[in-house]
Each structure stands twice: as structure tokens, then as C-alpha cells.
Amino acid sequence: MLELRLGVEDLARVRIIDTLGMAFETHMAWGRLGEQRRDALTEWRRTIRYRLRRVSASHPVTEPAASLVETLTSPLPPDTDTFHTVAVEPFWDRIQRLLKAERDAAGRAMLAGGMEQVLNSRHDAIRWDAPVLRVDTAQPSRRSSPGGRGVTLVPSLFAPHPLLIDDRMGWPGLPILVYDFTPDAETAASLWQGGEGESALHALLGRTRADVLAALRETRSTGQVADRVRISSPSASKHLTVLRRAGFVTTERQQNQAVHSLTPLGETILG
């Protein structure tokens, strides 16, 4: 049991954000893949195990090299991270929308009942009994205080349990309390669906061109797109030109290189 003593200044500085980023969720997801249970991630595990078996021969899958704290300084895993590319990135837009909805729900709880309601409504293992916030978690039991700096609350789809990230873990920033957010069955099912949509997109654009479009879920240069899709730069440039003429992609020059982003139409096509 963690006991976090929150003073008046701490309560005034409680922040609620939607996510710690794709790198953090990828790190958490690695630990959830091997679990044998039926929950909101069951369909995700089945899908990802199958996909990893298909790509592992040519692109080895390795455990994340960075520590949990190190991931907080990197918004994205490296492009060479096969697990991230297969297991998290294809679903990231949906995951982010889910976590933003949870953040918004926490904001409404604050407006309705103040910080007490927020702290007592986000997770069954988190309870506020002024002035102590008790967190039932797998971390070693201890008592701590932010010392007036406040706490950042953040939901996570892949975290297995509530997690306090602070100076005890080597984190130099404000204390972060991550709590695992479990969507209902219908929402969970919609997160991992997409096989039919992906097949339709491949049929419409061709597999390689559809993969080039999907690579632009994050803004990238021509060379970065080529590396992600594993095609030559000239080939990537040709596909990007077609996608730009179709209105799916926009391109601008930055420091003598072409940088590409999705247009609103491109985002809609990807879903």
C-alpha cells in the first residue's frame, strides 16, 4: 500500500492529463502481451501474437531497451522497434481518443464534486482519506509526500495496476500517479477492430501505398517513410506524390528535406 500525504498546496496543483505518450504505453504493453487471462486486452494479445510471428523472422522482436523512466523523455519509440510498430502504433489514434475521454470524465468529476470526487472515482484501488491518498498497488509499501509540488494523474490502457512514478524511481519531475483504465467490453472490442477496414484500404490504394499513408500517422520525411515501410526512397517519393495529388497528404520543406503529414481527408481515410 502506498500512502501519499497531500497538503493544501499539493491539492491545488493536482493535474490531469490524458497520456504519458506512445513510448510509455508501448513499454507497458510489452509486459501485458504474455499474460494468460480474459480481459479488455484479450483480442489485442491474440492479434499481436499472430502479427509478431509473421514478422519476427525478418525483423526480430526485442524487449524494450529503455527503462520505464527513460521512456518518459521520449515521445516515440525508435522506428526500428518492431514491437511498437506492430502492437501499439496501428491502434494509437483510438487509444489516444479513449484516454482523452477518460481525462475529460475526470474533469467533469472535478467540476461536479471537486478534487475529493476525482481522487475517489478514478480507480477502485485509489482512495482519498484526507490528508492521505492510499494506493493499493504491486509496488512496495511506503509513505511519501510531494512536498507542495502536486501530483499528475494520468490513465493508461496497458498499465497492469496503479503506479507512482517519483524520485524513488529516479524520476526528477513532478510525481506521476498512473492508473490502469479498463474500457467496457464494447469499447474494448472497437479498439482492436480494423482488419476489414485495413483490407479495404489495401484494395483501394494498394498495400504499399496504404502502408505509406499509415506511416504518416506521425509526420515524417521521405527517408523516414521509406525506412518505416521498408522500401527505397525513390519509391516512397512516388507513392507520396500520388497520395498528395489525391489530397491525402501535405508536404512542406524543412531544412532542405520534404516533410509529409496527413491532411484531414487522409486522417479520415485511415480511421
Side-chain angles (χ1 to χ4, degrees), residues 16-77:
I16 306 171
I17 63 175
D18 57 339
T19 178
L20 290 176
M22 197 189 303
F24 177 85
E25 289 295 326
T26 298
H27 192 105
M28 293 286 99
W30 176 265
R32 305 299 303 273
L33 184 64
E35 293 177 340
Q36 302 292 333
R37 63 171 72 180
R38 295 195 62 81
D39 58 14
L41 300 180
T42 298
E43 180 61 21
W44 171 80
R45 292 188 190 95
R46 184 193 66 78
T47 299
I48 300 312
R49 288 167 183 165
Y50 170 74
R51 292 181 179 178
L52 289 177
R53 284 196 297 270
R54 293 183 61 187
V55 305
S56 60
S58 56
H59 300 94
V61 181
T62 58
E63 184 175 356
S67 70
L68 179 59
V69 171
E70 287 172 336
T71 64
L72 297 180
T73 64
S74 303
L76 292 171

Side-chain angles (χ1 to χ4, degrees), residues 189-212:
S190 68
L191 281 174
W192 319 125
Q193 290 175 353
E196 293 181 0
E198 289 174 3
S199 297
L201 190 60
H202 287 159
L204 176 66
L205 299 177
R207 178 173 295 276
T208 301
R209 192 163 295 159
D211 289 344
V212 168

